[in-house]
Amino acid sequence: MRFGICTLDEFSLRGKTVLCRVDMNQPVDHENGTLKSTARIEACAPTLAEISNAGAKLVVLAHQGSDIEYKNFYTTRPHADVLSGLLGKPVTFVEDVCGPTAREAIRNMKEGDIILLDNVRFCSEEQTLFEMKLRLSHEEQAKTQVVTKLAPLADLYVCDAFAAAHRDQPTLCGFEQVLPSAMGRLFEKEYCVISELMEAPQRPCTFVLGGAKISDAFLMLETVLAGGAADRVLTGGLVGNILLLAKGETIGQASVDFIYKSNYEEYIDKARVLYEKYADKIVLPHDLAYVENGQRKECKIGAVPLAIGAVDIGSETAKEYVDYIFASKTVFVNGPMGIFEEAPTELGTKLVFEALGDTDAYTVVGGGDSVTAAKKYEVNKKISYICTGGGALIRFLTGEELPVVKALRHAAKTFGAR
């Protein structure tokens, strides 16, 4: 047992039916039905291999996108094909989550078999809006359809989804109320590495925050600044745009419209307060990039054409950020600097991640987009530690007990090991 949570070492798996919740959420190419990255699938594969090779009947649960992140809301069918290749054995995809087809498939499993159920967020109980609006307790989550239908068929629940540990949803926190439970190897590794790192980071400690997950970014921004964990915070992406807007800078009307359309206007006031309080530690872009007629163009802050939005930090800002990274002893990165998937808008992210690969600092990268960027720029093997979690990493760093951690600790006290 570690951190009050059971590990796989404490359970006999042969012949047992194991429900294993993983996070394999990846960017999706809808045109050809494939995944743009397989990093998170590769990360959880060792846990799945260990469980299956031990003779268990392995039922894998995962989400892909959400009702909020709708562009990636998709079936988990492609994930089964990737897993089959990684594990070297068939992974049967079941086009159901907890209905009759799924339950029958589980009942017919043999030792060593692996099935992957469809996207759990196809169930309304698993959707983010459901979570945010109803805020079910863990005891209430145990009474949802997905738990009451699947738990009676299982002997053990394993959570290897550290990347989703900040979520409070039935497949993450409900099964621990009714089944013996353990954390998987990836969960265990990420929990241990981040715990040890945060006890005494070497300084200067620099945080690089970007991307479009605003609630996560501003939670981390406020926490690391107030707690003194960060000596400086470099900003980009939508995070940087909101801070610039809060400061009264011009970022292009298209960017402003996007912020309001996405209901992010509440963060403008939060950004203003944070910047006024920590202006000496928050580093804002001083030039930006936009795209006009398919071409990248750069300008100083305040000169972005009104009808066009800023979609990347400028090259001068990117070079300044690189200098900060090389001057640091510890660097945390969560989120890209711009739309790195497209050539005209990838420069900021590319330079920052290449610096991560070259610096002697201890580097930690967290979040799906950041993991994808690290692999794209071929620095993933040079980074000290890559955490599959973004939101979970952020909340963990605040000292908050993550919902899944709380649920797993409950299971350890209630059921122990078997």
Side-chain angles (χ1 to χ4, degrees):
M1 187 176 294
R2 306 186 74 176
F3 304 103
I5 301 172
C6 292
T7 70
L8 287 174
D9 296 322
E10 296 161 74
F11 292 90
S12 173
L13 299 176
R14 181 164 300 281
K16 302 290 181 63
T17 299
V18 178
L19 300 178
C20 185
R21 176 63 158 94
V22 298
D23 189 336
M24 300 190 293
N25 188 27
Q26 301 281 190
V28 174
D29 184 337
H30 285 269
E31 290 187 6
N32 57 29
T34 59
L35 305 174
K36 296 180 181 179
S37 171
T38 59
R40 281 182 169 174
I41 305 179
E42 294 168 18
C44 69
T47 295
L48 302 181
E50 179 179 346
I51 295 171
S52 176
N53 292 340
K57 305 170 188 177
L58 178 57
V59 182
V60 184
L61 299 95
H63 71 277
Q64 175 56 55
S66 73
D67 43 316
I68 292 178
E69 189 201 3
Y70 199 74
K71 68 180 185 299
N72 282 322
F73 202 34
Y74 203 68
T75 177
T76 55
R77 184 185 295 274
H79 306 63
D81 294 333
V82 175
L83 267 179
S84 294
L86 291 171
L87 300 177
K89 60 169 56 177
V91 175
T92 303
F93 172 72
V94 178
E95 195 174 5
D96 189 16
V97 179
C98 61
T101 302
R103 301 199 301 275
E104 185 64 19
I106 295 172
R107 292 189 187 98
N108 291 332
M109 293 179 74
K110 299 176 181 177
E111 290 185 8
D113 283 355
I114 307 174
I115 65 173
L116 172 62
L117 302 180
D118 212 341
N119 186 351
V120 295
R121 288 184 179 169
F122 286 166
C123 295
S124 61
E125 300 165 338
E126 284 287 308
Q127 292 188 2
T128 305
L129 289 174
F130 188 99
E131 172 191 359
M132 293 169 62
K133 296 295 183 182
L134 294 188
R135 300 184 182 279
L136 297 183
S137 67
H138 290 178
E139 291 76 14
E140 291 170 326
Q141 290 179 36
K143 299 175 183 178
T144 57
Q145 286 293 300
V146 68
V147 176
T148 57
K149 296 293 186 183
L150 297 183
L153 303 176
D155 302 294
L156 174 68
Y157 170 78
V158 174
C159 186
D160 209 28
F162 182 81
H166 60 302
R167 296 299 183 192
D168 210 340
Q169 298 167 342
T171 63
L172 291 163
C173 301
F175 287 110
E176 294 95 329
Q177 313 308 310
V178 295
L179 285 173
S181 303
M183 57 181 168
R185 298 305 187 192
L186 177 61
F187 196 114
E188 182 180 355
K189 181 180 179 181
E190 297 199 317
Y191 199 112
C192 292
V193 167
I194 297 169
S195 295
E196 292 168 2
L197 174 65
M198 287 311 295
E199 286 180 3
Q202 290 188 314
R203 297 185 183 276
C205 181
T206 297
F207 282 71
V208 185
L209 300 182
K213 293 189 175 180
I214 298 304
S215 60
D216 289 346
F218 275 92
L219 176 61
M220 175 179 266
L221 183 63
E222 184 171 11
T223 300
V224 300
L225 288 171
D231 295 302
R232 68 181 66 88
V233 179
L234 314 181
T235 62
L238 192 54
V239 179
N241 280 357
I242 289 179
L243 279 159
L244 287 169
L245 185 61
K247 190 171 176 282
E249 303 288 1
T250 302
I251 58 174
Q253 192 57 45
S255 293
V256 176
D257 290 344
F258 178 81
I259 290 170
Y260 280 88
K261 181 181 178 181
S262 303
N263 296 316
Y264 292 147
E265 63 268 24
E266 66 178 281
Y267 292 101
I268 298 173
D269 289 335
K270 292 181 180 180
R272 185 176 297 111
V273 172
L274 283 171
Y275 188 74
E276 289 175 354
K277 190 173 183 179
Y278 300 105
D280 59 325
K281 292 188 176 183
I282 298 175
V283 183
L284 301 179
H286 50 79
D287 64 334
L288 295 169
Y290 60 94
V291 175
E292 191 171 50
N293 298 322
Q295 299 295 314
R296 178 188 179 94
K297 294 189 176 182
E298 297 189 358
C299 63
K300 296 294 184 181
I301 297 298
V304 181
L306 287 177
I308 300 177
V311 287
D312 191 16
I313 58 174
S315 56
E316 291 183 11
T317 298
K319 290 174 183 176
E320 179 185 14
Y321 286 7
V322 168
D323 290 340
Y324 275 122
I325 289 171
F326 280 116
S328 301
K329 293 292 186 182
T330 306
V331 184
F332 288 88
V333 178
N334 184 260
M337 297 293 95
I339 305 175
F340 71 97
E341 297 90 347
E342 300 175 11
T345 53
E346 71 167 340
L347 180 64
T349 304
K350 183 174 185 291
L351 292 180
V352 165
F353 275 79
E354 286 178 345
L356 291 178
D358 293 334
T359 182
D360 292 328
Y362 189 95
T363 52
V364 178
V365 167
D369 285 340
S370 298
V371 173
T372 300
K375 192 168 185 178
K376 176 178 180 179
Y377 301 119
E378 299 181 341
V379 299
N380 49 310
K381 294 183 180 180
K382 298 179 181 179
I383 291 170
S384 306
Y385 190 72
I386 293 181
C387 179
T388 60
L393 171 62
I394 290 168
R395 283 166 173 77
F396 184 88
L397 296 179
T398 68
E400 174 184 333
E401 183 180 41
L402 303 176
V404 175
V405 171
K406 181 179 180 180
L408 287 168
R409 285 174 174 160
H410 168 82
K413 291 180 181 179
T414 304
F415 303 104
R418 297 181 183 180

Short mmCIF file of all heavy atoms in Angstrom, two decimals, residues 221-242:
data_model
loop_
_atom_site.label_atom_id
_atom_site.label_comp_id
_atom_site.label_asym_id
_atom_site.label_seq_id
_atom_site.Cartn_x
_atom_site.Cartn_y
_atom_site.Cartn_z
N LEU A 221 -2.12 28.87 -11.84
CA LEU A 221 -1.47 30.18 -11.81
C LEU A 221 -1.59 30.81 -10.43
O LEU A 221 -0.61 31.25 -9.83
CB LEU A 221 -2.08 31.09 -12.87
CG LEU A 221 -1.48 32.48 -13.05
CD1 LEU A 221 -0.04 32.38 -13.50
CD2 LEU A 221 -2.30 33.29 -14.05
N GLU A 222 -2.80 30.82 -9.91
CA GLU A 222 -3.04 31.43 -8.61
C GLU A 222 -2.33 30.68 -7.49
O GLU A 222 -1.73 31.27 -6.60
CB GLU A 222 -4.55 31.50 -8.33
CG GLU A 222 -4.90 32.20 -7.04
CD GLU A 222 -6.40 32.43 -6.90
OE1 GLU A 222 -7.18 31.88 -7.70
OE2 GLU A 222 -6.79 33.18 -5.98
N THR A 223 -2.36 29.35 -7.57
CA THR A 223 -1.80 28.52 -6.51
C THR A 223 -0.29 28.61 -6.44
O THR A 223 0.29 28.81 -5.36
CB THR A 223 -2.22 27.05 -6.71
OG1 THR A 223 -3.65 26.97 -6.69
CG2 THR A 223 -1.64 26.17 -5.61
N VAL A 224 0.38 28.47 -7.58
CA VAL A 224 1.85 28.44 -7.55
C VAL A 224 2.43 29.82 -7.24
O VAL A 224 3.52 29.92 -6.69
CB VAL A 224 2.42 27.90 -8.88
CG1 VAL A 224 1.93 26.49 -9.13
CG2 VAL A 224 2.10 28.80 -10.07
N LEU A 225 1.67 30.87 -7.56
CA LEU A 225 2.14 32.21 -7.24
C LEU A 225 1.91 32.53 -5.76
O LEU A 225 2.79 33.02 -5.07
CB LEU A 225 1.44 33.24 -8.12
CG LEU A 225 1.88 33.24 -9.59
CD1 LEU A 225 0.97 34.14 -10.42
CD2 LEU A 225 3.33 33.68 -9.72
N ALA A 226 0.71 32.21 -5.28
CA ALA A 226 0.39 32.49 -3.87
C ALA A 226 1.25 31.64 -2.94
O ALA A 226 1.66 32.10 -1.86
CB ALA A 226 -1.08 32.23 -3.61
N GLY A 227 1.52 30.40 -3.33
CA GLY A 227 2.29 29.51 -2.47
C GLY A 227 3.79 29.66 -2.62
O GLY A 227 4.55 29.04 -1.87
N GLY A 228 4.22 30.45 -3.59
CA GLY A 228 5.65 30.69 -3.78
C GLY A 228 6.38 29.58 -4.51
O GLY A 228 7.61 29.57 -4.56
N ALA A 229 5.63 28.62 -5.09
CA ALA A 229 6.28 27.53 -5.80
C ALA A 229 6.98 28.02 -7.07
O ALA A 229 8.03 27.51 -7.46
CB ALA A 229 5.27 26.44 -6.16
N ALA A 230 6.37 29.01 -7.72
CA ALA A 230 6.91 29.50 -8.99
C ALA A 230 7.71 30.78 -8.78
O ALA A 230 7.25 31.72 -8.12
CB ALA A 230 5.78 29.77 -9.97
N ASP A 231 8.92 30.80 -9.34
CA ASP A 231 9.69 32.03 -9.34
C ASP A 231 9.26 32.94 -10.49
O ASP A 231 9.38 34.16 -10.41
CB ASP A 231 11.18 31.70 -9.46
CG ASP A 231 11.69 30.94 -8.24
OD1 ASP A 231 11.56 31.48 -7.13
OD2 ASP A 231 12.18 29.81 -8.40
N ARG A 232 8.76 32.30 -11.54
CA ARG A 232 8.18 33.06 -12.65
C ARG A 232 7.22 32.16 -13.41
O ARG A 232 7.34 30.92 -13.37
CB ARG A 232 9.27 33.58 -13.60
CG ARG A 232 10.00 32.52 -14.37
CD ARG A 232 11.07 33.10 -15.27
NE ARG A 232 12.14 33.71 -14.51
CZ ARG A 232 13.20 33.05 -14.08
NH1 ARG A 232 13.31 31.75 -14.29
NH2 ARG A 232 14.16 33.66 -13.40
N VAL A 233 6.26 32.77 -14.10
CA VAL A 233 5.31 32.03 -14.92
C VAL A 233 5.31 32.64 -16.32
O VAL A 233 5.02 33.84 -16.49
CB VAL A 233 3.88 32.08 -14.34
CG1 VAL A 233 2.92 31.33 -15.25
CG2 VAL A 233 3.85 31.50 -12.94
N LEU A 234 5.64 31.84 -17.32
CA LEU A 234 5.62 32.27 -18.71
C LEU A 234 4.27 31.89 -19.30
O LEU A 234 3.81 30.76 -19.12
CB LEU A 234 6.74 31.58 -19.50
CG LEU A 234 8.13 31.54 -18.85
CD1 LEU A 234 9.12 30.83 -19.78
CD2 LEU A 234 8.61 32.94 -18.51
N THR A 235 3.61 32.82 -19.97
CA THR A 235 2.25 32.56 -20.44
C THR A 235 2.14 32.61 -21.96
O THR A 235 2.86 33.35 -22.63
CB THR A 235 1.26 33.58 -19.84
OG1 THR A 235 1.63 34.91 -20.29
CG2 THR A 235 1.28 33.54 -18.33
N GLY A 236 1.24 31.80 -22.48
CA GLY A 236 0.97 31.77 -23.91
C GLY A 236 -0.39 31.17 -24.16
O GLY A 236 -1.15 30.90 -23.22
N GLY A 237 -0.72 30.94 -25.42
CA GLY A 237 -2.02 30.37 -25.75
C GLY A 237 -3.15 31.26 -25.28
O GLY A 237 -3.02 32.48 -25.16
N LEU A 238 -4.28 30.64 -24.98
CA LEU A 238 -5.44 31.40 -24.52
C LEU A 238 -5.20 32.01 -23.14
O LEU A 238 -5.75 33.08 -22.82
CB LEU A 238 -6.67 30.48 -24.49
CG LEU A 238 -8.04 31.14 -24.30
CD1 LEU A 238 -8.27 32.23 -25.34
CD2 LEU A 238 -9.15 30.09 -24.37
N VAL A 239 -4.36 31.37 -22.34
CA VAL A 239 -4.01 31.92 -21.03
C VAL A 239 -3.35 33.28 -21.20
O VAL A 239 -3.72 34.27 -20.54
CB VAL A 239 -3.06 30.97 -20.28
CG1 VAL A 239 -2.68 31.56 -18.92
CG2 VAL A 239 -3.69 29.60 -20.10
N GLY A 240 -2.38 33.34 -22.09
CA GLY A 240 -1.70 34.60 -22.36
C GLY A 240 -2.62 35.65 -22.94
O GLY A 240 -2.56 36.83 -22.56
N ASN A 241 -3.51 35.22 -23.84
CA ASN A 241 -4.45 36.17 -24.45
C ASN A 241 -5.37 36.81 -23.42
O ASN A 241 -5.64 38.02 -23.46
CB ASN A 241 -5.28 35.47 -25.53
CG ASN A 241 -4.52 35.31 -26.85
OD1 ASN A 241 -3.39 35.77 -26.98
ND2 ASN A 241 -5.14 34.66 -27.81
N ILE A 242 -5.86 36.01 -22.49
CA ILE A 242 -6.77 36.55 -21.47
C ILE A 242 -6.03 37.51 -20.54
O ILE A 242 -6.56 38.57 -20.17
CB ILE A 242 -7.44 35.41 -20.67
CG1 ILE A 242 -8.46 34.69 -21.56
CG2 ILE A 242 -8.11 35.93 -19.41
CD1 ILE A 242 -9.16 33.53 -20.90
#
